Amino acid sequence: MLDDLRDLYQEVIFDHNRNPRNFRKMEDADRQIDGFNPLCGDRLTLFIKLDDGKIVDASFQGQGCAISTASASLMTDIIKGQSEQEAQQLFALFHKMATGEQVDMDDLGKLAVLAGVCEYPARVKCATLPWHTLDALLKGVEEPVTTE
Amino acid sequence: MNKAVENIRPYDVDSIRQDFPVLHQQVHGKPLVYLDNAATSQKPKAVIDSLVHYYQNDNANIHRGVHTLSERATLSYENSRKKVQCFLNAASEKEIVFTRGATEAINLIANAYAQTLKANDEVLITAMEHHSNIVPWQMLCEKTGAILKVAPINDQGELILDQFEALISKKTKFAAISHMSNALGTINPIKQLIDLLHQHDIPVLIDGAQAIPHIAVDVQALGCDFYVFSGHKLYAPTGIGALYGKLELLEKMAPYQGGGDMISVVTFDKTVYSKVPYKFEAGTPNIAGTIGLGAALDYVNSIGLDAIAAHEDSLLAYATEQAKRIDKLRIIGTAKQKGAILSFVLDGIHPHDIGTMMDHQGIAVRAGHHCAMPVMDFFAVPATARASFAMYNTHQEVDVLMAGIENLIEMFG
């Protein structure tokens, strides 16, 4: 009955929702910031550790829907080892994908499993909340980020 | 209301459904099951027709033209005021002020009382209020230095009465209480609370936004000082609602907004305000919406609020019983006195995902904090899913809801 929802809820998303990667508080984080979606109440805290402009570790905590949890889980996995600039470029690309713009899916790697959200306007912010939070963190913002 | 007439006519939900054009559609290839009535209700054809009729035949500004159209528009507008007066059993139509909705009505009162409160006075609300009955009072407290006191609730989502009473003191200068909680469905014993507050000479506002489509309200019997509601939850258009206020209180209050229609004489030296209720209705109001509200009240009266309430109670009882059979489901809000709202969470499944997955099955439920973040905090949940029932919902739709929940639990694995 819900088969047509599989574009949005791929098995990988359920997997990351059940077992989110990097779901922990980072005691020795260089930077941390809160992200909040006031529309649905999703909130997360993002932690990163930097070394010479490179993200050497990333983790998150919080509560959110399957889409936002999977997105944060995938994001913290993929940005590890990236330079700040690379991570920001990936955010721009991810944002384009989530809002339905044409992008080369190969550039997105594992993140492509979230491409289905562009068909669900009410859910786009679930997927982009972790990324907006990362973007703000990399820009040195300290106040909590909101999607509104 | 004539009970004898109601009793001889059985409740015909199929015929009622025929009056609501929006219900007859498919969403994602499934018949629409609309269970988001606590957010806003659907509109019967009679209401939609009243808007069309007004714009096609009578559109004119009110209270100013001597021409025929203006007279017709004014008459329809003022007739709606009389209908609201009857619906609430207010003593006079002057006690009915039209507003954009419950929110604006609460802001109007908070604004008026800003002039009477001083530092360390207290305003009493409850822990189950909608943001619209929290934030205006917080703003009032910020302005005046008054303190907001919040009466707690128990694990069932009921107000703890002795703690409510314990918060009343000489400092308490105003109280604002919801008649029915939008997030939990709890119906508060407002008559008892009003009597208690009045023993201490504390004016009280009842937020009836959620209660108005489910519970017959008699403001004279209740004795409340103010009662507010929104039309759109009562099958009327959005953007129209009403404030009931005791005449002597409204007369004492300063105007809320300045402008046309709320004055009797304006010079650059001095302005004389109109009498109530016009003093509070600055500018051209939502004339069509007001007429639509009148049509909605006629429609509700034609079915009978008591009959509607009985039907909704039966839906809630059935839904609650069915929901209890689902292991992963936890009902949030289990008050003994409860309106037609089933707020729930599913173990391991976020309400936002529930919302999307239900929508895919044609079922409209609300997922979120329901503009009651403190309630969510109290129950330690980020959000809930909420099914809320109206006069046109059926027991079969409850079955569809439950099957939909089972489907998504299966999908989540």
Side-chain angles (χ1 to χ4, degrees):
Chain A
M1 173 141 196
L2 290 171
D3 284 350
D4 46 349
L5 261 182
R6 287 283 171 192
D7 285 346
L8 178 62
Y9 289 98
Q10 300 196 23
E11 198 48 47
V12 181
I13 290 175
F14 285 130
D15 175 44
H16 277 264
N17 180 51
R18 276 191 292 266
N19 308 298
R21 323 300 195 258
N22 313 303
F23 191 79
R24 61 189 154 84
K25 191 173 174 186
M26 197 187 293
E27 298 295 347
D28 55 347
D30 291 314
R31 291 187 204 165
Q32 75 175 65
I33 187 172
D34 293 331
F36 183 47
N37 182 347
L39 278 187
C40 64
D42 283 2
R43 56 179 81 220
L44 85 164
T45 307
L46 185 64
F47 307 89
I48 59 168
K49 211 170 169 177
L50 292 162
D51 186 16
D52 198 20
K54 240 183 177 180
I55 300 166
V56 290
D57 198 8
S59 71
F60 76 104
Q61 275 199 314
Q63 50 190 7
C65 62
I67 305 295
S68 79
T69 303
S71 179
S73 173
L74 286 158
M75 180 188 83
T76 46
D77 247 2
I78 211 163
I79 60 171
K80 268 191 249 180
Q82 288 191 340
S83 69
E84 291 189 45
Q85 202 190 354
E86 283 168 334
Q88 266 161 338
Q89 282 166 355
L90 195 57
F91 164 58
L93 206 59
F94 183 82
H95 194 267
K96 276 188 184 171
M97 175 189 80
T99 51
E101 282 185 53
Q102 278 292 333
V103 285
D104 187 345
M105 286 297 172
D106 291 343
D107 296 338
L108 283 154
K110 276 199 238 170
L111 301 178
V113 296
L114 284 160
V117 290
C118 69
E119 301 290 329
Y120 297 82
R123 305 305 300 276
V124 170
K125 282 175 179 165
C126 307
T128 57
L129 172 66
W131 287 93
H132 280 293
T133 310
L134 173 69
D135 182 50
L137 184 147
L138 293 175
K139 285 176 178 156
V141 176
E142 286 175 0
E143 307 83 61
V145 182
T146 78
T147 51
E148 293 310 303
Chain B
M1 217 171 289
N2 190 333
K3 285 205 161 63
V5 172
E6 266 174 51
N7 287 343
I8 54 167
R9 195 175 48 193
Y11 194 84
D12 185 351
V13 71
D14 292 331
S15 144
I16 289 170
R17 291 180 71 80
Q18 290 307 315
D19 295 335
F20 288 81
V22 78
L23 297 176
H24 307 284
Q25 62 175 300
Q26 299 218 321
V27 169
H28 296 293
K30 319 277 179 349
L32 169 66
V33 174
Y34 187 80
L35 299 176
D36 194 17
N37 296 289
T40 196
S41 60
Q42 298 299 346
K43 319 307 172 199
K45 192 157 183 305
V47 168
I48 299 166
D49 288 348
S50 75
L51 302 179
V52 173
H53 182 272
Y54 165 70
Y55 280 124
Q56 283 189 347
N57 299 282
D58 304 335
N59 178 55
N61 214 327
I62 54 167
H63 299 148
R64 53 197 81 181
V66 291
H67 58 80
T68 302
L69 264 54
S70 177
E71 280 175 4
R72 274 194 225 144
T74 304
L75 189 66
S76 301
Y77 182 84
E78 290 303 329
N79 267 339
S80 285
R81 198 186 305 276
K82 289 191 187 118
K83 288 173 187 176
V84 173
Q85 178 207 342
C86 290
F87 199 74
L88 298 179
N89 194 33
S92 158
E93 66 203 69
K94 291 181 196 163
E95 296 180 314
I96 306 300
V97 177
F98 287 120
T99 63
R100 280 192 292 138
T103 298
E104 189 181 41
I106 295 169
N107 277 278
L108 189 160
I109 297 300
N111 194 65
Y113 274 82
Q115 299 173 5
T116 67
L117 262 64
K118 54 184 193 303
N120 297 320
D121 283 346
E122 292 176 1
V123 175
L124 180 59
I125 62 171
T126 82
M128 72 177 85
E129 300 306 323
H130 185 280
H131 295 164
S132 61
N133 204 25
I134 301 173
V135 183
W137 306 113
Q138 279 176 330
M139 290 164 69
L140 165 67
C141 288
E142 254 171 51
K143 239 187 276 178
T144 58
I147 296 158
L148 191 66
K149 292 283 175 179
V150 184
I153 54 176
N154 63 21
D155 291 342
Q156 287 72 50
E158 295 164 322
L159 195 59
I160 304 170
L161 295 176
D162 51 352
Q163 297 202 29
F164 180 91
E165 189 165 1
L167 283 170
I168 298 173
S169 75
K170 281 192 177 132
K171 291 181 184 170
T172 315
K173 294 291 152 59
F174 200 89
I177 306 160
S178 62
H179 194 169
M180 174 175 157
S181 157
N182 74 308
L184 302 167
T186 310
I187 296 170
N188 279 318
I190 54 165
K191 172 69 181 151
Q192 195 183 336
L193 300 174
I194 293 162
D195 288 349
L196 180 65
L197 289 158
H198 281 176
Q199 283 167 21
H200 300 266
D201 293 323
I202 300 163
V204 52
L205 174 146
I206 302 297
D207 173 4
Q210 236 8 275
I212 199 77
H214 310 295
I215 305 167
V217 172
D218 179 337
V219 288
Q220 293 188 74
L222 287 171
C224 57
D225 302 281
F226 303 103
Y227 194 99
V228 305
F229 73 91
S230 296
H232 72 94
K233 294 191 206 280
L234 185 61
Y235 312 100
T238 53
I240 185 66
L243 159 70
Y244 156 81
K246 281 183 181 162
L247 192 59
E248 67 269 25
L249 295 176
L250 291 178
E251 280 174 343
K252 270 192 270 178
M253 283 162 44
Y256 175 48
Q257 293 174 327
D261 223 27
M262 54 78 73
I263 48 83
S264 58
V265 184
V266 177
T267 69
F268 284 114
D269 292 329
K270 188 175 166 48
T271 289
V272 180
Y273 304 126
S274 299
K275 294 196 162 111
V276 291
Y278 308 110
K279 183 169 84 173
F280 299 107
E281 294 179 358
T284 298
N286 182 354
I287 303 167
T290 307
I291 292 167
L293 174 59
L297 295 178
D298 288 343
Y299 183 79
V300 168
N301 286 334
S302 75
I303 294 162
L305 202 50
D306 291 347
I308 293 169
H311 175 70
E312 290 166 344
D313 286 347
S314 156
L315 289 172
L316 179 68
Y318 181 58
T320 304
E321 178 195 310
Q322 295 300 310
K324 283 180 180 163
R325 296 177 184 205
I326 301 174
D327 286 343
K328 288 190 171 181
L329 186 150
R330 176 160 69 103
I331 297 173
I332 304 291
T334 49
K336 279 185 215 79
Q337 296 297 320
K338 210 182 144 178
I341 283 176
L342 186 77
S343 212
F344 62 93
V345 290
L346 297 177
D347 191 18
I349 307 179
H350 192 278
H352 221 173
D353 296 312
I354 299 174
T356 297
M357 291 180 166
M358 296 303 263
D359 178 57
H360 249 257
Q361 304 177 76
I363 306 161
V365 293
R366 172 86 189 268
H369 51 60
H370 315 296
C371 295
M373 288 186 190
V375 174
M376 301 297 113
D377 289 343
F378 177 80
F379 285 96
V381 292
T384 74
R386 179 187 68 188
S388 49
F389 306 99
M391 64 158 89
Y392 40 69
N393 289 122
T394 66
H395 289 73
Q396 189 240 331
E397 287 181 313
V398 174
D399 292 337
V400 175
L401 168 71
M402 296 303 157
I405 295 171
E406 301 270 19
N407 283 339
L408 73 92
I409 289 173
E410 190 189 322
M411 184 175 186
F412 249 81

